[in-house]
Amino acid sequence: MKDSSSKHIPPHSPEKKESIKISKPKGKAAGLPAVRSSLKQVSTYMRAGDALKLSLAINQKEGFDCPGCAWPDPDDDRSSLGEYCENGIKAIAEEATKKAITASFFAQHSLQELGKLSDFELGKLGRLTAPMVRKKEGTHYEPISWEGAYRLIAQKLQSLTSPNEAIFYTSGRTSNEAAYLYQLFVRDYGTNNLPDCSNMCHESSGVALSETLGIGKGSVTLEDLHEAEVIMVMGQNPGTNHPRMLSALEKCKENGGKIITVNPLPEAGLMKFMNPQKVGKLLSGGTSLTDIFLPVRINGDVALLKALMYLLWEKEQTQAGKIFDQEFIDKYTVGYEEFIAEIKKVDVEDCLQQCGLSREVLQQSADLLATKEKIIICWAMGLTQQENGVDNIKEVVNLLLLKGAVGKPGAGTCPVRGHSNVQGDRTMGIWEAPKTTFLDKLEEVHGISVPRKHGLATVPAIQAMHEGKGKVFFAMGGNFLSAAPDTAFTAQALKRCELTVQVSTKLNRSHLITGEEALILPCLGRTDKDIQAGQEQFVSCENSMGVVQTSKGILRPPAEQLKSEVRIIAELATASRPNSPIDYLAMANDYDLIRENIAKVIPGFEKYNERVRKPGGFYLPNGARERKFNTTSGKAHFTVLGIPEHKEEAGTYLMMTIRSHDQFNTTIYGLNDRYRGIHQGRRVILMNEADMQERGFQAKTVVNLYSQYEGVQRAALTFQVVPYPIPTGNVATYFPEANPLVPIGLTARKSKTPVSKCVRITIEKA
């Protein structure tokens, strides 16, 4: 198969030296700078009237769900001043932009020309407005009718030797209604190839929590965070990734709670919070959040947790029953004796060496945990995107079980999800490994026969496309190429497809690296009104804490040709499955019909249409929250785990990828990382000054980065060194710029999640 004309397009942002500026990192987050940044985004990219209307409706009970992160909204009163954050406004400005991309734009600009633009520049071109096709050997996208696009996809799907040669990806933006209809169509077509963004971020959490607590979701509510006595924040930067979480941490501190931060970098958002909605807080200098900061080495989390539990066990020997919750352990858990037998063998000094912490700060943390019962541990990709990502989460659960800190107010597990409905998509059946009970219900309710063989997760799907076994790639939202690991490998995989399809609101890198033929199908965004068959519709989303609520756009769509994701799926399914017993178009005309089917198939959604219409929505059942553990034993499981060791290799460093404050996932809002003091560029590598001195590097020294795995060398070129307080031997880089260094074959055990937070690299002067 020939490579398409996109072979000359860089698979990532152009590698060029940037004129970066470096200033002192900030010690506090939000405040007036956040307000100024928000106002600048709004005034630059949005119409003033639209901005005002949206700001009053975002995350309100009768409004629309922010297309950014999945942080929950308060159950009770919500701020009329602004139930959103700085990065939420950036997401809205990106979607509700006053700029638009028309067919004439594509006629004027070839794919090769567009490939020279940075990810930031691509994202700022405006909303997509019409379906487009890149024909075989074509150099430009051309207009195509919706009917023509559906016909092209249907013919290609029907021509495949097996439905398993098609791959259907989903981003976390997709609503419950669209996700349910999408997976229904895909299984009606005949495959479980439903990889999604969960595979690349919190899959490790889902696997670990399912095996230990019986549910692949967190157990806490927002109110629990307010009531907690101790919150441990591990491998997470809420000030940038989930800024509204800072308000919850502030309430915890106001109620007397303590916060332990575990992270290689001292992030401003966890040091001090300047709540922009409270004048008193601004005048007083804000709220200090972190009480104990543990600057753990990359992948030193298991060693840290084991050392903490050993110290707690020591205290339990002299204060029997006062440190561990033995009543909870006896009644609700299994595996305790085996677990304690291993904890007794822990060498604390060895653990300290592995995690890079002092005995003093470790003891301080253990002393705090020993005296508290209401403990919550929050985490994000810093724990999940490791080879031992599943083990990291299981060790978190071990600590909580010792303290009986699961299934009671102010205590529990809190995996903080990224995209706004990524958890809801999984609940709706977007999963390559569906449970038999779910498939049985699909067949019963819809009168179809569905495939039982598990499909491909994201990394195996990329490998299948690379081998020519995946011939059609269909993406429901997202920027697959930039989000995936091993960028060059993923680009080659996409180019080996016969057809690639992107359902999108904006242009991104994934539209430029295509199969032999490619389609862009423009869709409505969260902010747009959704009118179907003359009636205004709403969709629903599930947040990080299992609350399902409505989302209803309020703006007139930027173009008449735009269709909702639900409508696109229904019309494609009708074209591709003409003899199906499912009336897809009826469901597209009335989303209530979709929700009626969801209520019949998925437990917890009984009376869906009635309950979701109540202001604030409803909570889904959560066994761990009620101490009902749906595991093989019916109890919570302690797990015996080893400590990962990283043998130091001369001249090498462990690299983790991070976000700047001017981005959300792969969407780049700007070129400044205000909190870290990095401005006007993104191709940077954060290094400890001692490591810099040893290598003879200065600030802004231009370097090339290399990783080697299974005999293949990968490169990311033209980065500038930035001195930063990070443990020696560790470095940090932004993604997606550093994604080319993440090997496609190096994933977390069991979850297959890319190891973007722990890649061994070498650094050479350019």
Side-chain angles (χ1 to χ4, degrees):
M1 182 184 296
K2 293 182 180 179
D3 277 354
S4 70
S5 63
S6 61
K7 65 184 178 181
H8 299 300
I9 299 172
H12 43 67
S13 289
E15 296 168 342
K16 57 186 179 182
K17 183 179 177 181
E18 300 166 324
S19 300
I20 67 166
K21 292 184 178 180
I22 303 172
S23 62
K24 184 179 179 181
K26 303 294 184 184
K28 54 190 175 183
L32 293 179
V35 175
R36 287 193 293 268
S37 175
S38 299
L39 291 174
K40 182 179 179 181
Q41 288 283 323
V42 166
S43 62
T44 303
Y45 300 110
M46 300 173 69
R47 297 178 181 88
D50 290 348
L52 178 60
K53 286 194 292 185
L54 292 172
S55 67
L56 295 174
I58 184 173
N59 293 326
Q60 298 297 334
K61 291 181 179 179
E62 304 297 330
F64 67 94
D65 202 41
C66 177
C69 79
W71 189 252
D73 307 308
D75 290 337
D76 46 21
D77 295 332
R78 302 185 185 181
S79 171
S80 58
L81 180 62
E83 193 58 62
Y84 53 84
C85 67
E86 174 189 349
N87 278 357
I89 280 295
K90 291 176 182 176
I92 294 303
E94 194 87 0
E95 180 176 294
T97 175
K98 55 191 175 186
K99 298 179 69 176
I101 299 176
T102 62
S104 62
F105 172 87
F106 287 109
Q108 296 168 18
H109 303 284
S110 68
L111 273 74
Q112 187 169 354
E113 183 181 349
L114 292 172
K116 297 176 182 178
L117 300 179
S118 68
D119 290 343
F120 168 66
E121 291 168 327
L122 286 172
K124 294 304 180 186
L125 291 173
R127 283 286 295 273
L128 296 163
T129 58
M132 306 296 294
V133 62
R134 192 192 73 79
K135 298 176 181 177
K136 288 184 180 180
E137 307 300 332
T139 58
H140 292 66
Y141 274 106
E142 304 172 22
I144 188 173
S145 67
W146 280 103
E147 293 74 16
Y150 296 143
R151 186 165 53 250
L152 175 59
I153 300 169
Q155 289 173 349
K156 184 62 66 176
L157 291 178
Q158 292 162 2
S159 71
L160 297 179
T161 304
S162 164
N164 291 324
E165 291 179 330
I167 293 162
F168 298 87
Y169 176 77
T170 319
S171 83
R173 181 200 67 202
T174 306
S175 68
N176 283 350
E177 291 74 13
Y180 182 84
L181 203 64
Y182 188 49
Q183 64 81 30
L184 180 63
F185 157 58
V186 171
R187 293 188 166 108
D188 186 19
Y189 169 64
T191 184
N192 282 313
N193 283 349
L194 281 159
D196 71 332
C197 54
S198 285
N199 297 149
M200 292 190 280
C201 55
H202 267 291
E203 197 69 53
S204 297
S205 300
V207 171
L209 293 173
S210 295
E211 292 183 0
T212 56
L213 301 179
I215 184 170
K217 305 177 182 182
S219 66
V220 302
T221 67
L222 189 57
E223 186 63 32
D224 287 326
L225 271 85
H226 302 163
E227 295 183 25
E229 295 175 306
V230 178
I231 297 176
M232 288 186 70
V233 182
M234 303 187 69
Q236 182 193 1
N237 176 19
T240 286
N241 301 337
H242 319 89
R244 286 196 299 154
M245 182 178 173
L246 300 183
S247 297
L249 297 178
E250 180 184 54
K251 285 190 178 181
C252 174
K253 291 300 298 278
E254 290 172 346
N255 292 335
K258 302 292 184 180
I259 296 174
I260 301 173
T261 293
V262 182
N263 199 60
L265 303 178
E267 301 288 15
L270 282 166
M271 298 302 123
K272 181 172 282 192
F273 175 44
M274 303 280 286
N275 193 329
Q277 297 192 7
K278 296 181 179 180
V279 176
K281 293 291 185 181
L282 294 176
L283 295 176
S284 66
T287 302
S288 294
L289 295 180
T290 294
D291 295 281
I292 303 174
F293 175 48
L294 304 178
V296 68
R297 284 179 178 166
I298 290 175
N299 202 225
D301 306 281
V302 168
L304 164 63
L305 291 168
K306 282 189 179 296
L308 281 173
M309 289 185 286
Y310 179 87
L311 295 183
L312 291 174
W313 172 77
E314 275 192 329
K315 289 177 177 290
E316 176 70 11
Q317 305 318 296
T318 58
Q319 304 175 57
K322 293 184 179 180
I323 307 301
F324 292 172
D325 188 338
Q326 289 293 344
E327 182 179 353
F328 172 86
I329 291 169
D330 294 341
K331 185 176 181 179
Y332 292 107
T333 75
V334 295
Y336 173 73
E337 296 299 333
E338 296 86 349
F339 173 74
I340 288 299
E342 289 299 314
I343 286 296
K344 292 178 182 178
K345 302 175 185 176
V346 167
D347 183 331
V348 173
E349 294 304 320
D350 180 61
C351 287
L352 289 173
Q353 185 176 1
Q354 291 286 338
C355 65
L357 300 174
S358 68
R359 179 81 182 220
E360 180 183 6
V361 75
L362 177 73
Q363 189 67 58
Q364 186 182 1
S365 303
D367 291 344
L368 176 59
L369 292 169
T371 61
K372 307 300 181 184
E373 298 179 355
K374 296 181 178 181
I375 301 168
I376 292 175
I377 302 183
C378 306
W379 69 88
M381 272 74 82
L383 293 193
T384 63
Q385 292 180 328
Q386 314 269 3
E387 270 192 278
N388 51 287
V390 174
D391 288 355
N392 287 341
I393 314 309
K394 287 184 175 181
E395 209 71 87
V396 165
V397 172
N398 284 337
L399 175 55
L400 292 173
L401 294 181
L402 287 177
K403 298 294 297 181
V406 176
K408 66 182 180 184
T413 56
C414 185
V416 184
R417 305 284 177 170
H419 221 150
S420 60
N421 198 42
V422 62
Q423 185 161 295
D425 288 351
R426 179 57 58 86
T427 303
M428 291 296 106
I430 301 294
W431 194 18
E432 79 284 353
K435 293 183 179 180
T436 300
T437 51
F438 174 78
L439 297 179
D440 290 343
K441 272 293 183 180
L442 278 185
E443 292 190 336
E444 176 189 329
V445 170
H446 294 286
I448 59 175
S449 177
V450 301
R452 300 294 171 137
K453 180 182 178 182
H454 285 178
L456 299 173
T458 296
V459 167
I462 295 169
Q463 292 168 325
M465 289 188 285
H466 198 273
E467 295 168 5
K469 297 176 182 177
K471 297 180 179 179
V472 173
F473 177 77
F474 191 106
M476 185 59 63
N479 181 358
F480 185 80
L481 175 61
S482 292
D486 211 336
T487 312
F489 186 95
T490 301
Q492 292 170 358
L494 290 170
K495 289 190 286 186
R496 289 175 183 175
C497 291
E498 295 176 6
L499 175 66
T500 51
V501 184
Q502 306 286 336
V503 179
S504 308
T505 57
K506 303 181 291 93
L507 199 64
N508 62 49
R509 190 73 48 190
S510 297
H511 300 97
L512 309 181
I513 305 296
T514 74
E516 288 186 339
E517 295 180 282
L519 286 165
I520 297 174
L521 305 182
C523 67
L524 298 178
R526 289 273 179 86
T527 58
D528 299 325
K529 285 185 178 180
D530 186 353
I531 308 294
Q532 304 295 333
Q535 297 295 317
E536 192 169 354
Q537 306 291 325
F538 69 84
V539 294
S540 55
C541 303
E542 178 187 346
N543 65 36
S544 263
M545 295 179 183
V547 178
V548 178
Q549 60 185 358
T550 62
S551 179
K552 192 172 184 179
I554 61 175
L555 296 184
R556 181 179 177 179
E560 291 184 3
Q561 286 203 66
L562 297 186
K563 293 179 181 284
S564 72
E565 289 184 323
V566 168
R567 174 62 62 180
I568 293 170
I569 296 163
E571 292 179 347
L572 173 60
T574 301
S576 303
R577 301 286 297 156
N579 299 318
S580 174
I582 300 170
D583 191 342
Y584 291 100
L585 294 180
M587 288 188 278
N589 290 337
D590 183 358
Y591 296 179
D592 275 358
L593 298 180
I594 305 176
R595 288 185 284 270
E596 286 177 10
N597 286 317
I598 292 172
K600 296 174 186 176
V601 172
I602 303 175
F605 285 86
E606 297 78 13
K607 297 182 179 179
Y608 193 0
N609 276 311
E610 175 186 337
R611 294 161 68 204
V612 79
R613 281 177 163 86
K614 294 179 179 179
F618 62 94
Y619 279 88
L620 291 173
N622 190 302
R625 194 174 290 162
E626 301 171 5
R627 294 187 169 179
K628 296 176 181 177
F629 302 109
N630 186 27
T631 60
T632 52
S633 66
K635 295 187 176 185
H637 288 206
F638 281 97
T639 313
V640 176
L641 303 161
I643 300 176
E645 290 191 29
H646 294 283
K647 295 180 180 178
E648 294 188 9
E649 300 176 23
T652 69
Y653 306 84
L654 283 182
M655 179 197 78
M656 64 177 185
T657 62
I658 57 177
R659 297 177 186 170
S660 81
H661 191 61
D662 252 354
Q663 85 180 90
F664 181 75
N665 291 345
T666 59
T667 302
I668 312 301
Y669 300 133
L671 300 178
N672 298 323
D673 196 346
R674 186 173 76 242
Y675 294 155
R676 298 192 184 104
I678 301 167
H679 308 272
Q680 298 181 187
R682 295 181 48 82
R683 300 188 73 81
V684 298
I685 179 165
L686 280 56
M687 290 187 72
N688 185 286
E689 290 192 72
D691 287 336
M692 290 173 58
Q693 196 170 31
E694 183 181 343
R695 295 295 305 276
F697 296 160
Q698 305 293 323
K700 300 186 184 182
T701 295
V702 181
V703 296
N704 296 328
L705 315 180
Y706 302 93
S707 68
Q708 193 139 359
Y709 182 72
E710 293 185 342
V712 177
Q713 186 181 70
R714 295 164 176 84
L717 309 179
T718 323
F719 282 66
Q720 293 181 65
V721 177
V722 174
Y724 213 81
I726 185 172
T728 56
N730 293 175
V731 294
T733 51
Y734 297 135
F735 76 90
E737 287 79 5
N739 282 9
L741 298 170
V742 183
I744 192 70
L746 189 57
T747 59
R749 296 183 293 272
K750 289 192 175 183
S751 71
K752 303 186 180 87
T753 300
V755 297
S756 302
K757 295 295 186 289
C758 190
V759 180
R760 188 165 293 282
I761 69 167
T762 57
I763 307 172
E764 302 297 336
K765 283 187 178 180

